[in-house]
Amino acid sequence: MVHYIIVITLLALGLSPHCLSSKTVGGGYLYPQFYDHSCPKAQEIVRNVVAKAVAKEPRMAASLLRLHFHDCFVKGCDASILLDSSGSIISEKRSNPNRNSARGFEVIDEIKAVMEKECPHTVSCADIMALAARDSTVLTGGPSWEVPLGRRDARGASLSGSNNNIPAPNNTFQTILTKFKLQGLGIVDLVALSGSHTIGNARCTSFRQRLYNQSGNGQPDNTLDQSYASQLRRNCPRSGGDQNLFFLDFVSPIKFDNSYFKNLLANKGLLNSDQVLFTKNGESRELVKTYAYNQELFFLQFAKSMIKMGNISPLTGYRGEIRQNCRKINA
């Protein structure tokens, strides 16, 4: 139903019949029907493997969604995050945002293995990630959208790009917004995409400063609800417990809904990067309120922003390659 609403709304906005396709920097197009003839079962394969992985471990949905995000913010949506270190490649998996944190690589490997049997050398790892992100959203109760396809895979990675481009939990609002704008995304995209924190977990290290020393003065963050803060302190002590996991949305941690935004209204956003959406900027504050009161509007914008994010500098045509193994470039 939500998918139907999204398509109808896009048509109502007067977008072209290819409203879900986009011209890319390299001159090629991304469009949802890209594999209809070359690999008709591509989307079904991704959906089946993701469904199995999420049924086994619900947290995997958030991990796959995040993987796509962490890929697109570095050199564009080109599967560079999947490359292991080898030869001249230093893996993005070693960056601060990804080390001991990015996960779901084996799920992508499994999808790729099935895909190579079904249609060898055809479907890119970058497209697999874009589809897996959409399917993870749908499986947890979120909106659906048609994923524009036709990306190709990078032959290199950028450790520095990964360290510098991906917003960090303790970044200021302005820094986060700047990082989004550098990717061609605006404040509406920032707030809507942050709503993906309605599922998934964060480690104690990513928000500890809010509990004990927010501004370097030995005081907790005064924008954090104090009863919530004391709950968090139980499993996130001043030292130790770095890897302890906490739900980003404690109300409905494995359901994709708008309770993330309701939590922000109650000053119960887990990460500093969550709560600043409500406390540091008037425009984003209004968007938070809008999505907290209107889940349908949040879902609609989330789908549009995911399509937009998936269009960041993809490789098309003859640029890049179709990797046979997502972890390494072709021989």
Side-chain angles (χ1 to χ4, degrees):
M1 180 62 184
V2 172
H3 174 64
Y4 175 74
I5 292 166
I6 286 166
V7 172
I8 292 299
T9 308
L10 287 169
L11 289 170
L13 291 172
L15 297 172
S16 72
H18 284 294
C19 62
L20 293 168
S21 73
S22 64
K23 200 161 191 341
T24 64
V25 182
Y29 280 90
L30 298 186
Y31 54 98
Q33 302 78 19
F34 190 84
Y35 297 110
D36 281 8
H37 299 296
S38 60
C39 191
K41 286 190 178 165
Q43 300 209 33
E44 185 189 330
I45 289 168
V46 176
R47 191 162 54 244
N48 290 344
V49 177
V50 171
K52 192 175 72 174
V54 172
K56 187 174 158 191
E57 184 194 8
R59 182 185 166 208
M60 189 53 72
S63 299
L64 292 169
L65 190 50
R66 183 165 177 254
L67 214 49
H68 181 45
F69 176 77
H70 279 216
D71 180 48
C72 290
F73 268 58
V74 184
K75 306 197 315 76
C77 309
D78 60 2
S80 61
I81 193 174
L82 302 178
L83 289 168
D84 289 336
S85 293
S86 70
S88 62
I89 295 168
I90 303 171
S91 178
E92 291 168 20
K93 296 173 186 178
R94 292 163 63 170
S95 72
N96 291 325
N98 295 330
R99 195 173 54 243
N100 301 324
S101 175
R103 56 199 297 279
F105 300 108
E106 24 352 279
V107 178
I108 303 295
D109 291 340
E110 188 182 340
I111 296 168
K112 185 61 176 170
V114 179
M115 204 71 84
E116 285 299 306
K117 280 200 187 103
E118 177 69 26
C119 15
H121 324 307
T122 304
V123 181
S124 69
C125 302
D127 278 344
I128 287 172
M129 290 172 79
L131 289 167
R134 188 270 313 272
D135 294 341
S136 295
T137 304
V138 174
L139 280 164
T140 45
S144 185
W145 59 91
E146 285 198 277
V147 179
L149 300 165
R151 299 167 192 79
R152 288 166 66 86
D153 300 323
R155 294 182 55 81
S158 174
L159 181 65
S160 63
S162 188
N163 274 321
N164 298 325
N165 298 4
I166 297 169
N170 55 354
N171 279 162
T172 64
F173 176 83
Q174 201 48 55
T175 299
I176 297 166
L177 182 59
T178 299
K179 287 180 178 181
F180 268 73
K181 284 184 170 170
L182 287 170
Q183 306 298 341
L185 301 171
I187 196 164
V188 175
D189 303 305
L190 162 57
V191 179
L193 292 172
S194 294
S196 63
H197 284 179
T198 177
I199 54 173
N201 303 66
R203 294 172 300 155
C204 168
T205 45
S206 55
F207 62 88
R208 176 183 277 133
Q209 89 285 347
R210 297 191 72 203
L211 302 179
Y212 303 103
N213 189 22
Q214 174 69 351
S215 309
N217 58 0
Q219 295 300 308
D221 184 347
N222 61 12
T223 66
L224 182 61
D225 177 84
Q226 288 312 299
S227 65
Y228 181 46
S230 65
Q231 277 179 338
L232 295 172
R233 284 190 201 99
R234 282 179 216 150
N235 287 315
C236 186
R238 221 175 259 276
S239 64
D242 287 8
Q243 305 300 321
N244 291 351
L245 291 174
F246 296 76
F247 293 127
L248 286 159
D249 165 14
F250 66 93
V251 175
S252 52
I254 57 172
K255 182 165 171 46
F256 198 103
D257 57 21
N258 68 336
S259 59
Y260 164 82
F261 296 105
K262 294 176 181 175
N263 295 341
L264 298 187
L265 298 190
N267 295 314
K268 293 180 180 178
L270 183 65
L271 306 179
N272 185 67
S273 56
D274 295 324
Q275 198 59 52
V276 293
L277 299 179
F278 188 64
T279 57
K280 297 295 184 190
N281 178 278
E283 192 180 344
S284 73
R285 183 187 178 93
E286 289 310 309
L287 287 164
V288 168
K289 286 185 191 168
T290 300
Y291 298 150
Y293 298 128
N294 190 332
Q295 180 168 283
E296 201 173 290
L297 209 58
F298 162 49
F299 278 14
L300 180 64
Q301 186 56 54
F302 184 80
K304 284 168 71 175
S305 293
M306 283 296 290
I307 292 168
K308 196 170 164 186
M309 184 183 82
N311 286 336
I312 298 172
S313 310
L315 299 171
T316 56
Y318 295 102
R319 295 158 70 222
E321 64 180 19
I322 306 294
R323 274 184 233 145
Q324 287 171 261
N325 176 337
C326 291
R327 292 175 182 264
K328 55 187 188 189
I329 58 173
N330 297 338

